[in-house]
Amino acid sequence: METKKKLRCPIGVPSGILAALIGLIGVIINIIHFNWFELLTSLALLLLAMPFVRIIMMVHSANDRLDELEAKQS
């Protein structure tokens, strides 16, 4: 009997990567145009997006481990 793997919501990782790319592009554009306030905003977005991706990946791997433990227990 095959058990189907539960689907995880994959939107966390792509949205974090997208936010990091937008932040990086914003940093580059704002450095070119000497726009200091928006540079700080883009830098903050970049620095917040990278840990967000890691946290989402850790949550998914923890859920997979819990599923394996539940399967062994049953």
Side-chain angles (χ1 to χ4, degrees):
M1 178 169 92
E2 280 186 38
T3 58
K4 290 187 177 182
K5 190 173 182 175
K6 292 182 183 178
L7 295 176
R8 303 270 182 236
C9 180
I11 197 65
V13 175
S15 64
I17 292 171
L18 184 63
L21 286 175
I22 290 170
L24 183 63
I25 291 168
V27 166
I28 293 169
I29 289 173
N30 290 318
I31 286 175
I32 291 171
H33 292 291
F34 299 108
N35 214 349
W36 301 117
F37 180 71
E38 283 85 8
L39 174 65
L40 292 175
T41 307
S42 296
L43 189 62
L45 178 64
L46 178 66
L47 293 177
L48 287 173
M50 292 184 291
F52 179 74
V53 172
R54 182 65 186 142
I55 289 170
I56 295 297
M57 288 171 58
M58 286 174 28
V59 167
H60 287 299
S61 66
N63 284 336
D64 290 339
R65 289 183 196 145
L66 283 174
D67 288 343
E68 288 176 13
L69 288 174
E70 287 175 355
K72 286 181 183 178
Q73 211 174 29
S74 302

